[in-house]
Amino acid sequence: MKTLTNLALIAFLLTSTNVFATATPHEHQHDNANPQQQAQIYVCPMHPEVTGTKGDTCPKCGMDLEPKATEGKTAEGTMHNAHEHH
């Protein structure tokens, strides 16, 4: 009888916590977004030390921040590592 009571209690606890866990809305960000979107950093064209996210403006000059060029690419977006720079 004690075992049956314990099993019933365990079953009740497992089902009740599952109901509360799925019924409660929650907001958080997952790390499975596009890696390019995760790594996208925006910088001020006039003040490269100022960084932010999409839609931010530079506090020094008020310009909209632009996407930072990724390594190995020029501002035009073409690869430019085929030769040594002078």
Side-chain angles (χ1 to χ4, degrees):
M1 184 70 173
K2 190 175 184 179
T3 305
L4 183 61
T5 306
N6 286 341
L7 287 175
L9 181 61
I10 290 172
F12 174 74
L13 290 174
L14 288 176
T15 56
S16 65
T17 55
N18 189 23
V19 169
F20 291 122
T22 57
T24 306
H26 59 279
E27 294 184 24
H28 60 273
Q29 297 206 358
H30 293 270
D31 291 336
N32 58 356
N34 183 352
Q36 186 176 11
Q37 290 175 343
Q38 286 180 350
Q40 187 69 304
I41 297 174
Y42 286 74
V43 296
C44 175
M46 298 297 294
H47 306 99
E49 69 277 6
V50 176
T51 60
T53 58
K54 184 175 183 178
D56 288 346
T57 58
C58 177
K60 294 181 179 181
C61 64
M63 292 181 67
D64 291 335
L65 301 185
E66 297 180 356
K68 183 178 181 180
T70 58
E71 293 180 26
K73 292 186 178 183
T74 62
E76 293 85 29
T78 58
M79 296 301 288
H80 193 76
N81 55 3
H83 65 275
E84 287 186 24
H85 291 271
H86 304 282

